[in-house]
């Protein structure tokens, strides 16, 4: 079976984590987000994959490779300009001659794809779409269905008064190749705004495939943190070491914790899982970490405490800091000086890169 994975967005809502890397390669349990999806597809017999890449394609290619290590085959189709979700699939048309899957590249899910394909083959619609229940449908595409399970209405990013159901588009479709004829080549277009509404208008059958499997759109830092912690909680009793680390016998580590290669954890450091440490992190004496994700090369100095934080790579949090629900970019230094200037780092704050002379910029000011 074949799949196209959409890897085009700039990940604006994930800033500052995505200032220099695309969203699909942010590390989830120390592996690129997309690698989790690729492994899951491989396990379910979907081994022929087209990556439709728009933003920083060379970074995606370097981190993901050709799939041979995962036992799958990856073909890259690169957009010079963003073509939108359906425009990007049209751009890969020459690889698509049988019913194929389309995936948004920014989610993690346990939806059963084999059963979804069986449902598609049985009913023979033009498109089958996986649906998932959520608490807040307004940030997704809401999908109304009828009794036999066919889609009757699709509203992308509805306002609350347009919300009639909590079932939303999970960003997984099975598409018949003939649908590609409806999509203009080389022109920006979206499944959500153009193709699905048009198919409904034409009276074409669109099948819903509702599921209550695990599903998360890793679209913003809070979701990113949740995805990491959810996956770690699946192994509640594990302290997993990925390589050789130096851990002082007086360090207290409560599972679930994932420790990347080459970490250094000092005496009386206290790590309360779920916590992820990337490669080469240092947690010094009396430092405390809880419910947090640290990328590679993060330094946490003495007596610093952090809870619910995402700290991007090569960042230093100096001694005696208290951080709660903070998200930092790469190469940041956080220290007491910051507090001395009266600039406490509030929850959900974004911290400026090292050397920035101006106050911390809002997330939208990072380079694109
Ligand atoms: N190649 C390519 N080119 N990919 C694109 C482009 C493009 O121009 N634009 C977006 N994508 C990719 C993104 O990289 C992402 O993987 C996927 O398409 C969806 O884009 P998002 O920007 O993450 O959309 P969203 O999360 O707001 O909404 C979409 O996903 C929801 C589920 O998470 C919609 O499909 C909603 O209907 C859906 O509910
Ligand atoms: Mg998304």
């Amino acid at each position: 079976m074949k799949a196209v994975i959409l890897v085009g967005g700039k990940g604006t809502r994930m800033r500052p984590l995505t200032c220099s890397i695309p969203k699909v390669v942010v590390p989830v349990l120390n592996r690129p987000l997309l690698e989790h999806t690729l492994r899951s597809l491989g396990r379910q017999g979907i081994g022929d994959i087209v990556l439709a890449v728009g933003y920083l394609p060379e970074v995606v290619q370097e981190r993901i490779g050709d799939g041979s290590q995962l036992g799958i085959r990856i073909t890259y189709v690169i957009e010079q300009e963003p073509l939108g979700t359906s425009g990007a699939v049209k751009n890969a048309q020459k690889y698509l001659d049988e019913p194929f899957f389309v995936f948004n590249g920014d989610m993690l899910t346990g939806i059963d794809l084999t059963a979804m394909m069986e449902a598609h083959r049985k009913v023979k619609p033009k498109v089958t779409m996986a649906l998932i229940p959520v608490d807040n449908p307004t940030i997704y595409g809401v999908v109304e269905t009828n009794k036999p399970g066919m889609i009757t209405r699709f509203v992308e990013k509805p306002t609350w008064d347009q919300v009639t159901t909590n079932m939303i588009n999970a960003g997984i479709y099975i598409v018949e190749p003939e649908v590609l004829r409806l999509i203009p080549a080389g022109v920006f277009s979206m499944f959500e705004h153009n193709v699905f509404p048009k198919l409904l208008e034409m009276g074409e059958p669109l099948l819903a495939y509702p599921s209550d499997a695990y599903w998360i759109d890793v679209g913003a830092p809070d979701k990113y943190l949740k995805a990491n912690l959810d996956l770690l909680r699946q192994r509640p009793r594990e302290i997993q070491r990925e390589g050789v680390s130096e851990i002082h016998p007086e360090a207290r580590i409560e599972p679930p914790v994932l420790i990347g290669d080459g970490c250094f954890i000092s005496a009386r450091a206290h790590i309360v899982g779920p916590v992820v440490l990337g490669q080469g992190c240092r947690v010094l004496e009396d430092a405390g970490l809880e419910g947090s994700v640290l990328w590679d090369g993060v330094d946490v100095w003495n007596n610093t405490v952090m809870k619910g934080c995402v700290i991007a790579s090569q960042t230093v949090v100096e001694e005696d800091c208290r951080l709660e629900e903070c998200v930092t970019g790469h190469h940041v230094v956080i220290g007491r000086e910051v507090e001395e200037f009266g600039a406490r780092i509030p929850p959900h704050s974004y911290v400026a890169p090292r050397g920035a002379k101006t106050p911390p910029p809002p997330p939208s000011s990072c380079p694109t």
Side-chain angles (χ1 to χ4, degrees):
M1 287 191 284
K2 288 188 183 177
V4 181
I5 307 185
L6 298 166
V7 184
K10 288 194 171 169
T12 322
R13 286 166 292 168
M14 275 281 270
R15 289 175 177 176
L17 301 173
T18 45
C19 279
S20 53
I21 57 169
K23 180 160 62 169
V24 288
V25 302
V26 296
V28 172
L29 302 194
N30 291 342
R31 293 171 191 276
L33 166 61
L34 187 59
E35 196 181 308
H36 293 266
T37 301
L38 293 171
R39 283 178 188 275
S40 153
L41 296 192
R43 281 195 299 270
Q44 297 186 71
I46 305 171
D48 203 350
I49 288 160
V50 175
L51 288 190
V53 192
Y55 179 52
L56 299 174
E58 60 294 342
V59 182
V60 180
Q61 266 170 313
E62 191 228 305
R63 303 272 178 103
I64 302 294
D66 64 1
S68 51
Q69 290 195 335
L70 305 175
I72 54 176
R73 191 174 64 174
I74 297 177
T75 307
Y76 288 86
V77 175
I78 294 166
E79 287 151 64
Q80 301 312 322
E81 292 293 323
L83 288 173
T85 50
S86 50
V89 173
K90 176 76 178 180
N91 203 32
Q93 184 167 14
K94 67 174 175 192
Y95 301 105
L96 307 168
D97 47 9
E98 53 190 80
F100 58 92
F101 280 94
V102 176
F103 288 85
N104 287 353
D106 59 346
M107 49 153 180
L108 287 173
T109 182
I111 290 177
D112 182 342
L113 303 172
T114 315
M116 183 171 167
M117 186 52 105
E118 272 167 23
H120 181 84
R121 290 207 170 114
K122 206 164 135 200
V123 179
K124 300 189 174 55
K126 291 288 180 279
V127 173
T128 297
M129 180 190 294
L131 308 189
I132 209 91
V134 294
D135 293 337
N136 177 8
T138 63
I139 53 175
Y140 302 108
V142 161
V143 185
E144 289 175 16
T145 52
N146 61 16
K147 271 264 157 58
M150 304 306 287
I151 295 173
T152 52
R153 190 156 171 256
F154 186 93
V155 189
E156 183 66 14
K157 312 278 167 9
T159 53
W160 271 109
D161 55 346
Q162 292 174 302
V163 172
T164 48
T165 162
N166 66 342
M167 296 304 278
I168 59 115
N169 166 19
I172 304 178
Y173 324 119
I174 300 172
V175 179
E176 288 294 320
E178 62 194 87
V179 171
L180 295 173
R181 280 194 239 130
L182 296 176
I183 307 171
V187 178
F188 184 95
S189 73
M190 300 288 281
F191 278 112
E192 297 85 339
H193 295 289
N194 309 109
V195 180
F196 300 143
K198 188 163 177 183
L199 284 167
L200 287 174
E201 219 179 272
M202 291 164 67
E204 296 287 5
L206 304 188
L207 177 66
Y209 181 76
S211 170
D212 55 7
Y214 181 79
W215 179 91
I216 189 166
D217 170 337
V218 188
D222 58 334
K223 294 282 180 54
Y224 166 77
L225 178 63
K226 185 175 181 323
N228 276 273
L229 305 190
D230 284 348
L231 290 188
L232 262 192
R233 284 191 189 105
Q234 291 175 2
R235 321 164 181 168
R237 278 179 286 281
E238 270 184 48
I239 296 175
Q240 198 191 333
R241 297 189 195 194
E242 288 185 320
V244 182
S245 287
E246 214 179 311
I247 302 176
H248 194 281
E250 282 172 36
R252 280 189 295 153
I253 304 182
E254 297 175 30
V257 173
L258 173 62
I259 302 172
D261 187 29
C263 289
F264 177 90
I265 303 175
S266 294
R268 298 189 309 279
H270 189 186
I271 299 180
V272 182
V275 165
V276 181
L277 302 184
Q279 282 185 19
C281 289
R282 298 196 311 158
V283 185
L284 302 188
E285 287 183 17
D286 299 302
L289 303 179
E290 186 178 339
S292 296
V293 175
L294 277 50
W295 292 14
D296 293 346
V298 171
D299 250 25
V300 182
W301 290 8
N302 304 45
N303 203 32
T304 272
V305 178
M306 60 172 86
K307 193 174 172 184
C309 294
V310 180
I311 309 291
S313 54
Q314 316 303 331
T315 283
V316 179
V317 188
E318 294 179 349
E319 67 274 5
D320 300 324
C321 292
R322 299 281 174 273
L323 300 185
E324 203 162 319
E325 294 184 29
C326 259
V327 182
T328 79
H330 309 251
H331 296 274
V332 168
V333 179
I334 299 171
R336 272 200 318 218
E337 271 171 74
V338 177
E339 282 175 51
E340 280 161 20
F341 289 120
R344 264 190 55 247
I345 301 165
H348 310 296
S349 62
Y350 295 87
V351 181
R354 185 192 304 219
K357 293 198 173 61
T358 47
S364 60
S365 69
C366 67
T368 53

